[in-house]
Amino acid sequence: IYFKRIHELTITDDLTKLYNARYLHMRINDEVERARRFGYDLSMIFIDLDYFKKINDNYGHLCGSKLLAEVGSLLKEKIRSVDMAFRYGGDEFIILMPETPKKNAKIVANKIRTVLKKAVFLKEEGVNCRITASFGVASYPKDSGDKTELIHMADNAMYRVKDKSRDGVAVA
């Protein structure tokens, strides 16, 4: 039981209870190899919360942390059991979607974007705030030849949304 708990702690983010970036890098190797071997698409959604710094500045870091945890719960609820959600760092998240073409991943990204935009966060704290996020979608092997390029392409797509409008989805 202790070994299982220690293993959980090494692969999950304390705050959000999602998988952590270290585990992403371990899993993505396996998933890219599986996609290559069996000839299917592996899609990634890169998510960055819009204006997250304002939450920390206006309500404090404890509220910011609580918001990240609430977003983590929301992401877990909205993905399939075969998909994996990761806290990549700060207010960035990644969803890895095995056996998923890019067009389907874009549909999921739009659904999550809509749910996130409609959700009311930090209710217990009396803040009752709403947030949006910028999403980038990329797929292996269509957009990338390896795991590093897949992350890079999804991140670049997300930044196109950040630079243009925020609260949107872009594909590589």
Side-chain angles (χ1 to χ4, degrees), residues 48-51 54 110 113 117 131-136 156-171:
D48 187 279
L49 302 182
D50 297 330
Y51 306 109
K54 286 184 178 179
N110 273 308
R113 185 185 72 78
K117 187 176 185 168
I131 59 165
T132 60
S134 299
F135 295 75
N156 278 355
M158 180 275 299
Y159 268 105
R160 284 202 318 278
V161 175
K162 277 263 190 250
D163 292 343
K164 196 171 77 179
S165 62
R166 302 191 192 238
D167 185 29
V169 176
V171 292

Side-chain angles (χ1 to χ4, degrees), residues 1-49:
I1 193 160
Y2 290 119
F3 178 78
K4 185 178 180 228
R5 182 70 184 125
I6 289 168
H7 179 69
E8 281 173 17
L9 290 170
T10 61
I11 66 171
T12 56
D13 175 62
D14 275 351
L15 192 59
T16 61
K17 307 303 181 223
L18 300 177
Y19 293 120
N20 61 26
R22 183 183 320 116
Y23 190 58
L24 167 69
H25 292 291
M26 289 167 49
R27 279 312 302 259
I28 200 170
N29 285 331
D30 296 341
E31 294 303 331
V32 165
E33 177 55 29
R34 194 173 285 120
R36 186 196 61 73
R37 186 170 174 211
F38 296 109
Y40 65 71
D41 292 338
L42 170 67
S43 288
M44 174 181 285
I45 302 172
F46 199 110
I47 305 164
D48 187 279
L49 302 182

Side-chain angles (χ1 to χ4, degrees), residues 139-158:
S139 290
Y140 170 90
K142 213 167 244 126
D143 304 314
S144 62
D146 60 33
K147 72 167 190 166
T148 305
E149 196 176 7
L150 180 59
I151 295 169
H152 182 71
M153 296 301 286
D155 186 37
N156 278 355
M158 180 275 299

Side-chain angles (χ1 to χ4, degrees), residues 61-97:
H61 289 274
L62 286 176
C63 280
S65 293
K66 180 88 174 15
L67 176 73
L68 292 173
E70 290 179 17
V71 169
S73 293
L74 184 142
L75 292 177
K76 263 180 152 166
E77 283 174 23
K78 299 300 169 191
I79 60 173
R80 305 172 302 180
S81 60
V82 296
D83 299 332
M84 293 159 272
F86 303 84
R87 180 175 179 209
Y88 194 58
D91 62 331
E92 294 177 329
F93 300 88
I94 286 179
I95 298 171
L96 202 55
M97 305 177 74

